Amino acid sequence: MELQTLTYIVVGLTFALYVGIAFWARAGSTKDFYVAGGGIHPISNGMATAADWMSAASFISMAGLIGFSYQGYGGSVFLLGWTGGYVLLAMCLAPYLRKFGKFTVPEFIGDRYYSKAARVVAVICLIIASVTYVIGQMKGIGVAFSRFLETTYETGLTAGMVIVFIYAVMGGMKGITYTQIAQYVVLIFAYTIPAIFISLSLTGNPIPQLGLGSTLLTDGTYVLDKLNQVVTELGFAEYTTSTRGSTLNMFMYTMSLMIGTAGLPHVIIRFFTVPSVKDARKSAGWALVFIAILYTTAPAVAGMARLNLMSTIEPTPGTYLAYDERPQWFKNWEKTGLLEYEDKNGDGLIQYSADKSVNEMVKIDNDILVLANPEIAKLPNWVIALVAAGGLAAALSTAAGLLLAISSAISHDLLKGIIKPDISEKSELNASRVAMAFTVLTAGYLGFHPPDFAAGTVALAFGLAASSIFPALMLGIFYKRMNTAGAISGMLSGIGVTLFYVFQHKGIMFVQSTSFLGDMSPNWFFGIEPNAFGAVGALVNLVVAVVVCKMTAPPPKEIQDLVDYVRSPVGEGSAVAH
């Protein structure tokens, strides 16, 4: 069957499945809408959390970043940061937040710091970080849809916005949870099956993680040795040793991703959907298992995909592919504008080099690597169609979770909690859906001019969460002396410093024409790039919060007793009712 037809069928069937599940499990109350009724099984929640977690950045962009922009070893910051952050979240935050028993992260901060002002500041921080995250998802959706519909990125993004809007508004947390379970199954098969095929064809080993450390069937060379040889011959840095900037930048980048991960509200609220604290711990463990399947496969996908791409463009050293004889996948991606060739010397051949003056592959968008990989490796059409469906599943699942977190913050924390406490349940649900619509339009508009690749944009969101929400949560649980003034001062100073640094290099609201220092490494503070600056913002947050706290009155005794209770193993199996 023709690829285009097969892709339409596979993707269409998965869409029908998602919409059917969302309709079957649609929310009937605010408790269904915000926390899926609070009765989700730990294994189910683990799968939903994994789908929520593994966004377009993980599925589409991470392998591309490891393989191209970060030159292999430098891309390990994503694996270490995101995985380590999840462990931090599972061990230090999720069980305690579940025991506290609230609908949203701002609600926890408002009650813990006995202040509506603290709750409002938390809402603002949550919205800034989550909207930035949604922009990254929009980039991923635009890439996947443009390839699936074989149209431009802009048209693909517009189509994706419409789908996300319908999907998110119908779902609520209950619908989103069961849909994310289905999406996890789709995306994990879509990611691992092509990797198995490619590993088998290159090394004879069907396990990609082992294949990356194996020898090639063609000449007996180890895969990573071959990669080092090929990239260095073209003038690039060695694949297995090159770092991303300085060692300090690598460390700060990893820390920013790690603590930002632990502060992301759309993941945290997933632990509010299980019946007890014990179940929250179990679901965190299951989610880690489900996530590890993809994250341990990504380095193999990155390395093998880059090797395949280079072998296609330059089959043997000094022999270049003729542009007129380029394969169909090359032509398809050219249509999207994410792959561009410029014949600089007029010889009609494609030359790929680290030297920009002779390099004729003037644009290889990192985000196309995973989607194009099966075509480059000449895998069967059904595998290619499955990857398209997996990319869309990853982008849609996380986008829905983020939209829910944002709309909950607006309707539940601002409207219900601050502005109009007596609002009816029906009106609150409608307000949440209106907030979702506004967020989709805002993120879609910014998605037309994303500040970075999908994973790069998401990294900015992690930095913003790291500098604002994470310290407030950690101090709220483990430092009972922390008070309102300290928490508010810390959040505002942390996110303020981070935003100032990011905007001066990336542009105000990521519009590059408004950048006044430029995204150039000589302008970076101690060589720390904007995507990694969240760790510095978190440090500022902690220092300011503790200093202000020491200078002001301690919290009331009942608040300090509440912190002791939340941290105590007494009553571990239960949680405060919503």
Side-chain angles (χ1 to χ4, degrees):
M1 186 181 292
E2 187 183 346
L3 174 60
Q4 184 70 7
T5 305
L6 193 59
T7 306
Y8 271 105
I9 292 174
V10 172
V11 174
L13 286 174
T14 58
F15 279 1
L17 176 65
Y18 305 153
V19 173
I21 292 174
F23 182 78
W24 165 73
R26 62 191 183 279
S29 66
T30 51
K31 188 171 182 179
D32 284 344
F33 193 87
Y34 294 132
V35 294
I40 301 297
H41 191 278
I43 295 178
S44 301
N45 194 49
M47 294 180 75
T49 304
D52 210 343
W53 175 265
M54 293 186 294
S55 62
S58 295
F59 188 97
I60 297 174
S61 195
M62 184 167 65
L65 282 171
I66 295 173
F68 283 92
S69 287
Y70 289 66
Q71 295 292 328
Y73 176 72
S76 61
V77 295
F78 292 98
L79 299 173
L80 293 172
W82 283 339
T83 309
Y86 185 80
V87 174
L88 187 63
L89 170 63
M91 299 292 293
C92 298
L93 289 181
Y96 304 107
L97 293 175
R98 179 64 190 96
K99 190 172 181 181
F100 204 90
K102 296 298 176 183
F103 278 151
T104 65
V105 171
E107 191 174 15
F108 166 80
I109 290 178
D111 286 9
R112 163 60 183 86
Y113 295 113
Y114 47 98
S115 165
K116 289 184 178 179
R119 189 172 181 175
V120 171
V121 172
V123 168
I124 294 170
C125 294
L126 181 150
I127 290 174
I128 292 173
S130 296
V131 167
T132 307
Y133 202 157
V134 168
I135 295 170
Q137 301 313 302
M138 288 297 174
K139 171 74 188 300
I141 289 171
V143 170
F145 268 86
S146 61
R147 174 62 187 90
F148 163 53
L149 298 175
E150 293 196 2
T151 183
T152 63
Y153 169 80
E154 288 75 17
T155 306
L157 177 56
T158 304
M161 286 170 59
V162 174
I163 294 291
V164 169
F165 173 76
I166 296 172
Y167 172 76
V169 170
M170 280 188 66
M173 180 58 96
K174 188 177 179 183
I176 287 172
T177 297
Y178 291 110
T179 308
Q180 284 174 336
I181 294 170
Q183 287 167 336
Y184 174 78
V185 175
V186 172
L187 75 86
I188 204 64
F189 273 102
Y191 202 86
T192 53
I193 287 178
I196 291 171
F197 269 102
I198 294 169
S199 179
L200 202 55
S201 65
L202 288 178
T203 68
N205 193 323
I207 303 174
Q209 293 87 339
L210 300 179
L212 185 63
S214 303
T215 56
L216 292 166
L217 292 174
T218 51
D219 59 7
T221 308
Y222 280 100
V223 173
L224 292 174
D225 287 345
K226 186 71 174 181
L227 258 174
N228 281 337
Q229 176 193 335
V230 171
V231 297
T232 51
E233 284 176 355
L234 295 177
F236 294 99
E238 197 173 63
Y239 191 82
T240 54
T241 58
S242 60
T243 60
R244 173 75 173 178
S246 64
T247 303
L248 175 63
N249 184 60
M250 288 274 288
F251 174 76
M252 298 304 284
Y253 209 143
T254 304
M255 288 302 297
S256 180
L257 293 174
M258 187 178 291
I259 58 181
T261 293
L264 284 177
H266 76 287
V267 177
I268 292 173
I269 60 174
R270 286 237 52 91
F271 295 100
F272 298 159
T273 65
V274 293
S276 67
V277 178
K278 187 176 180 181
D279 289 332
R281 292 185 190 277
K282 285 182 180 177
S283 66
W286 279 109
L288 193 58
V289 171
F290 295 133
I291 290 169
I293 296 173
L294 188 145
Y295 270 51
T296 55
T297 307
V301 171
M304 294 178 188
R306 181 156 189 183
L307 194 57
N308 269 334
L309 179 65
M310 290 184 161
S311 301
T312 302
I313 295 175
E314 190 176 343
T316 58
T319 304
Y320 303 109
L321 176 70
Y323 182 69
D324 292 339
E325 298 174 5
R326 66 195 188 284
Q328 187 60 42
W329 66 263
F330 198 114
K331 298 174 184 176
N332 291 338
W333 283 103
E334 280 185 306
K335 291 177 187 174
T336 67
L338 300 174
L339 187 68
E340 294 179 9
Y341 162 77
E342 180 185 347
D343 193 1
K344 292 181 177 176
N345 58 9
D347 65 355
L349 301 176
I350 302 174
Q351 290 178 287
Y352 182 42
S353 169
D355 184 351
K356 292 184 178 178
S357 64
V358 298
N359 177 41
E360 296 176 336
M361 292 298 296
V362 293
K363 184 175 184 180
I364 304 177
D365 194 302
N366 289 347
D367 293 347
I368 73 172
L369 186 67
V370 168
L371 298 179
N373 200 24
E375 295 175 280
I376 297 172
K378 300 174 183 176
L379 297 183
N381 283 351
W382 68 268
V383 177
I384 301 169
L386 184 62
V387 171
L392 291 170
L396 290 172
S397 61
T398 304
L402 287 164
L403 290 169
L404 183 71
I406 296 170
S407 62
S408 299
I410 294 173
S411 60
H412 186 68
D413 292 300
L414 282 185
L415 188 62
K416 174 80 172 178
I418 306 289
I419 300 172
K420 196 174 181 181
D422 59 344
I423 189 173
S424 68
E425 188 169 300
K426 184 178 179 181
S427 298
E428 187 181 346
L429 278 173
N430 290 335
S432 187
R433 289 183 170 118
V434 171
M436 273 190 184
F438 178 75
T439 307
V440 170
L441 292 174
T442 303
Y445 172 78
L446 294 172
F448 283 114
H449 308 286
D452 211 327
F453 303 110
T457 308
V458 167
L460 291 176
F462 279 70
L464 296 172
S467 64
S468 58
I469 298 172
F470 174 79
L473 295 177
M474 285 295 288
L475 291 170
I477 294 170
F478 295 102
Y479 186 37
K480 64 181 181 182
R481 175 65 173 78
M482 183 51 59
N483 59 16
T484 308
I488 293 177
S489 303
M491 285 190 287
L492 290 177
S493 57
I495 200 167
V497 166
T498 306
L499 273 178
F500 178 74
Y501 190 78
V502 170
F503 282 174
Q504 68 181 357
H505 291 290
K506 297 282 186 180
I508 298 171
M509 292 308 293
F510 310 115
V511 178
Q512 291 185 352
S513 59
T514 62
S515 166
F516 48 91
L517 280 183
D519 191 15
M520 298 171 61
S521 54
N523 295 329
W524 293 344
F525 178 74
F526 284 103
I528 301 172
E529 61 187 297
N531 291 8
F533 203 74
V536 178
L539 188 60
V540 171
N541 183 330
L542 285 169
V543 171
V544 171
V546 172
V547 169
V548 173
C549 166
K550 293 285 187 184
M551 297 171 62
T552 49
K557 185 177 183 305
E558 61 268 23
I559 294 296
Q560 298 190 45
D561 291 342
L562 178 62
V563 174
D564 285 335
Y565 165 74
V566 168
R567 294 211 320 256
S568 167
V570 175
E572 184 185 3
S574 61
V576 178
H578 289 295

